[in-house]
Amino acid sequence: LNDLVAVGGTQLDAMTPLINALSELPRRDVRTLSQAYANADTLSADQRAQLDDRLPIYAEYAEADFLAYMQIVNTIGIVGLESLLAAQDALIDLGIDPFTEDGALTPEAEGLTQLATLTGGIDAARRIADAYTLMQAADVTEPAALATQIDIVRQFYANNLLTNPDVSAALTGAELDQAFANNLIVLRAGNRLLIDTQTRAAGEIFDNNGNTQAAYARVGGSALLFFPSNLESMLVRAIPFIIAGLAVALGFKAGLFNIGAEGQLYAGGILAVWIGFSPLFDALPIFLRLPLVIIGGIIGGSLWGALPGALKAYTGAHEVITTIMLNYVAIRAVDWIIKTTDPLLLRDITASTPRTPFIDEASRLPTFASISPWLFLVAGVLVGAYLLYQRRDALRETLRAAITPVIWAVLVAVGGLFLAWVGQRGALHVGLLLMIAAVWFTDWFLNRTTLGFELRTVGTNPDAAKYAGMSVRRNIVLAMALSGALAGLAGTIEVSGVQFNM
């Protein structure tokens, strides 16, 4: 039908005598003729003599029309044109006019073209037609709603809430009522069911692997739901964004607009991944190699960040322009380092796609699920003991001074256990703690150190800072280097905690 539209019903009708005449010739002669006349502009005397002998019907057409038709024959082929004629005849025999007055397909013909796109072809179309007849007989006016109900019923059977092979009996008898009475059944968005085989006021629903699929609390006829995996994936995705945002914020404090966090992230990530898989460091245990990977990523990002800082400090080049440009340099450089095979640098030649080798297990950030719960309890006790020791003088006067240390100890222990529960699928890694440490360190550095005070002063008023004896150039370079270091840390965490390669 689509080919019919391309040729056009009127044109196909005009070509019918020519197609019939060509069909009587040997296929080889048809190919020869169509190729000879498809690109011709006019007919010579010799060509007319040849056509008079082999295809005399050409004389019934105007020369331009004949040449145009032969071009169609050359494009579609005589077999294809014969099929088009047969299809058109079949439509007419069915009482279907394939074309409207403007040459487009009629709605009936358009419907036939949609049948061809169905998975399963005409057999699927027949099944749909049969189902439609059944729905009409049952006075079903909303097929989509029926499909939803059937899907839910299937889920009841898949979870053994219903077992009667007679579906109608199961839905109208006592079995459905018992299913609701003996189980907690929650209908989620997308018509998915959450099922707890107990009827508690609150509890957990587990998946086939024993992980918590959801926690719930019943509220009347509804339920409050918490999905640990959703929080886990959100935290994992948020970590590099928060650290990279922190990198930009640090630059703001120094009066600099660092738009190069992406390139600095790449620079830190590529150095971290090299340290992570390089055989040079295979002898190192995890408590040495993992810090080395993190430090390497920080150095890579800081060096890339220092470049626009130096250009700003010593040439006056605006950091917005240079950081944007260096983003592309970093991304393309990493792309080349990974993809090049001459010379071979960081590409894993055994991989089907261009990537680095996977980093060593000792270079990967541990996940909260892999940490023993006792360690979180011990960490809470140590934090509490440290804070109590710091308040030892106040404790001699009143025991109320112990409230804050105890609260912090409980928060650390319970928080660790909560994160281990949320990360039981094994995706949430201790990069979350590095992120918190980076936020705390940046705040401490800016507000509690001399260098941080100088950075803020340079950002507020460079002239006043210079008058006070501060080096504006040094602080600009330092601010961009520190900003790049944070972005490099973000790339390192993504490599060592999520991707494990680049």
Side-chain angles (χ1 to χ4, degrees), residues 28-223:
R28 181 182 300 176
D29 293 346
V30 175
R31 285 195 298 271
T32 302
L33 288 171
S34 63
Q35 291 171 0
Y37 297 104
N39 299 317
D41 295 326
T42 60
L43 293 175
S44 65
D46 292 339
Q47 288 174 329
R48 289 179 181 278
Q50 183 186 39
L51 290 172
D52 285 333
D53 180 51
R54 303 177 65 183
L55 193 64
I57 199 172
Y58 90 96
E60 299 180 10
Y61 296 96
E63 181 177 300
D65 292 339
F66 171 74
L67 294 175
Y69 295 160
M70 292 303 288
Q71 187 172 18
I72 294 174
V73 174
N74 186 54
T75 302
I76 299 179
I78 188 62
V79 175
L81 290 170
E82 290 171 347
S83 298
L84 293 184
L85 286 177
Q88 190 176 44
D89 292 341
L91 289 170
I92 294 172
D93 290 342
L94 292 170
I96 298 175
D97 187 357
F99 299 108
T100 61
E101 292 182 358
D102 59 359
L105 288 176
T106 59
E108 294 83 358
E110 183 66 35
L112 290 176
T113 64
Q114 294 176 13
L115 292 182
T117 65
L118 285 176
T119 302
I122 192 64
D123 290 334
R126 289 195 178 99
R127 289 195 299 272
I128 292 172
D130 292 341
Y132 181 68
T133 302
L134 288 173
M135 286 188 287
Q136 282 186 313
D139 293 328
V140 175
T141 58
E142 297 183 26
L146 175 63
T148 297
Q149 294 181 10
I150 291 175
D151 180 52
I152 293 173
V153 171
R154 282 176 174 159
Q155 293 182 63
F156 269 77
Y157 275 93
N159 289 280
N160 294 319
L161 299 177
L162 298 177
T163 58
N164 192 331
D166 185 338
V167 179
S168 179
L171 295 178
T172 57
E175 190 173 13
L176 183 63
D177 295 334
Q178 292 176 356
F180 282 116
N182 300 331
N183 302 274
L184 172 71
I185 305 171
V186 182
L187 180 63
R188 291 187 60 198
N191 301 310
R192 293 170 293 171
L193 298 183
L194 277 178
I195 299 168
D196 188 7
T197 55
Q198 304 182 50
T199 56
R200 301 170 291 183
E204 296 178 67
I205 300 174
F206 300 94
D207 60 19
N208 295 331
N209 298 320
N211 297 323
T212 301
Q213 185 178 3
Y216 68 87
R218 300 182 69 168
V219 182
S222 301

Side-chain angles (χ1 to χ4, degrees), residues 91-447:
L91 289 170
I92 294 172
D93 290 342
L94 292 170
I96 298 175
D97 187 357
F99 299 108
T100 61
E101 292 182 358
D102 59 359
L105 288 176
T106 59
E108 294 83 358
E110 183 66 35
L112 290 176
T113 64
Q114 294 176 13
L115 292 182
T117 65
L118 285 176
T119 302
I122 192 64
D123 290 334
R126 289 195 178 99
R127 289 195 299 272
I128 292 172
D130 292 341
Y132 181 68
T133 302
L134 288 173
M135 286 188 287
Q136 282 186 313
D139 293 328
V140 175
T141 58
E142 297 183 26
L146 175 63
T148 297
Q149 294 181 10
I150 291 175
D151 180 52
I152 293 173
V153 171
R154 282 176 174 159
Q155 293 182 63
F156 269 77
Y157 275 93
N159 289 280
N160 294 319
L161 299 177
L162 298 177
T163 58
N164 192 331
D166 185 338
V167 179
S168 179
L171 295 178
T172 57
E175 190 173 13
L176 183 63
D177 295 334
Q178 292 176 356
F180 282 116
N182 300 331
N183 302 274
L184 172 71
I185 305 171
V186 182
L187 180 63
R188 291 187 60 198
N191 301 310
R192 293 170 293 171
L193 298 183
L194 277 178
I195 299 168
D196 188 7
T197 55
Q198 304 182 50
T199 56
R200 301 170 291 183
E204 296 178 67
I205 300 174
F206 300 94
D207 60 19
N208 295 331
N209 298 320
N211 297 323
T212 301
Q213 185 178 3
Y216 68 87
R218 300 182 69 168
V219 182
S222 301
L224 295 175
L225 298 174
F226 171 69
F227 298 95
S229 60
N230 289 358
L231 178 60
E232 179 184 31
S233 61
M234 185 198 73
L235 290 174
V236 171
R237 286 176 57 83
I239 291 170
F241 287 104
I242 291 174
I243 300 178
L246 188 66
V248 178
L250 190 147
F252 281 153
K253 285 293 185 180
L256 301 170
F257 197 2
N258 177 18
I259 308 184
E262 185 178 12
Q264 294 148 18
L265 184 148
Y266 270 75
I270 196 66
L271 186 56
V273 81
W274 173 73
I275 297 174
F277 76 76
S278 176
L280 296 174
F281 308 100
D282 281 350
L284 296 179
I286 186 171
F287 63 85
L288 291 178
R289 188 164 189 178
L290 181 56
L292 185 63
V293 168
I294 295 171
I295 292 171
I298 292 173
I299 291 174
S302 65
L303 292 176
W304 203 257
L307 288 176
L311 290 171
K312 168 78 171 181
Y314 292 99
T315 70
H318 203 287
E319 71 278 4
V320 170
I321 303 300
T322 55
T323 51
I324 289 176
M325 295 172 70
L326 284 171
N327 275 341
Y328 292 99
V329 175
I331 293 170
R332 296 306 178 193
V334 169
D335 186 62
W336 176 78
I337 289 171
I338 294 175
K339 288 183 177 179
T340 181
T341 55
D342 186 21
L344 181 65
L345 296 177
L346 298 188
R347 179 166 183 165
D348 183 357
I349 59 175
T350 65
S352 58
T353 57
R355 64 165 175 81
T356 68
F358 285 98
I359 62 175
D360 189 81
E361 289 289 341
S363 302
R364 303 184 181 186
L365 289 169
T367 62
F368 283 96
S370 65
I371 300 175
S372 171
W374 290 104
L375 288 179
F376 298 117
L377 298 176
V378 170
V381 171
L382 292 176
V383 168
Y386 174 73
L387 294 177
L388 288 172
Y389 176 76
Q390 282 193 321
R391 295 185 167 220
R392 59 188 181 279
D393 294 334
L395 284 171
R396 294 190 182 99
E397 299 178 4
T398 175
L399 291 177
R400 294 179 62 184
I403 294 178
T404 300
V406 170
I407 290 176
W408 276 106
V410 172
L411 286 176
V412 169
V414 173
L417 294 172
F418 175 75
L419 290 174
W421 177 66
V422 168
Q424 57 189 293
R425 296 176 185 270
L428 185 59
H429 50 76
V430 298
L432 180 68
L433 301 181
L434 293 177
M435 179 200 75
I436 296 172
V439 174
W440 172 85
F441 174 80
T442 302
D443 178 72
W444 172 83
F445 174 81
L446 289 173
N447 297 300

